[in-house]
Amino acid sequence: QVQLAESGGGSVQAGGSLRLSCGAPGRTFSNYAMGWFRQAPGKEREFVAAIRRSGGATYYSDSVKGRFTVSRDNGVYLQMNSLKPEDTAVYYCAVCWKCTTAQTMARVDASVMDYWGPGTQVSVSS
């Protein structure tokens, strides 16, 4: 059983930065698209960013475009700059073997993802 784990969450003031990391010890996901989702209190989980298998093409939600950057090697990373209070949420990483493009991760149902991390809290104060 693969267990993804996120790290790097925390509390920052508006305008600050955080870098999230996600991976599984001893496991690579070169044949999977990898991405990030988030869920704020009282809201549904939403797509944030994804990167295509073997790197390269990325895709972002409009709300984070220009502020967040997704990258990957053996794991997946999310560099979050210019954070806003509305970015406060639990952030989850996911991997998807069926997702042939980064954009696909934004469109398919959550059940299509192969593995999810347990989430890491990001809190942004004004």
Side-chain angles (χ1 to χ4, degrees), residues 19-20 34 36 50-51 55 58 60 69-73 75-79:
R19 177 178 168 84
L20 304 183
M34 304 182 78
W36 293 91
I51 186 165
T58 57
Y60 298 92
T69 302
V70 62
S71 61
R72 65 182 292 166
D73 48 32
V76 62
Y77 309 93
L78 188 67
Q79 178 67 44

Side-chain angles (χ1 to χ4, degrees), residues 108-125:
V108 298
D109 186 79
S111 62
V112 176
M113 307 300 159
D114 294 272
Y115 305 109
W116 289 90
T120 186
Q121 177 70 47
V122 171
S123 299
V124 185
S125 59

Side-chain angles (χ1 to χ4, degrees), residues 11-43:
S11 298
V12 295
Q13 291 190 327
S17 298
L18 286 172
R19 177 178 168 84
L20 304 183
S21 301
C22 171
R27 181 68 188 261
T28 60
F29 298 96
S30 57
N31 293 323
Y32 294 74
M34 304 182 78
W36 293 91
F37 296 76
R38 67 186 182 186
Q39 187 167 18
K43 295 186 177 181

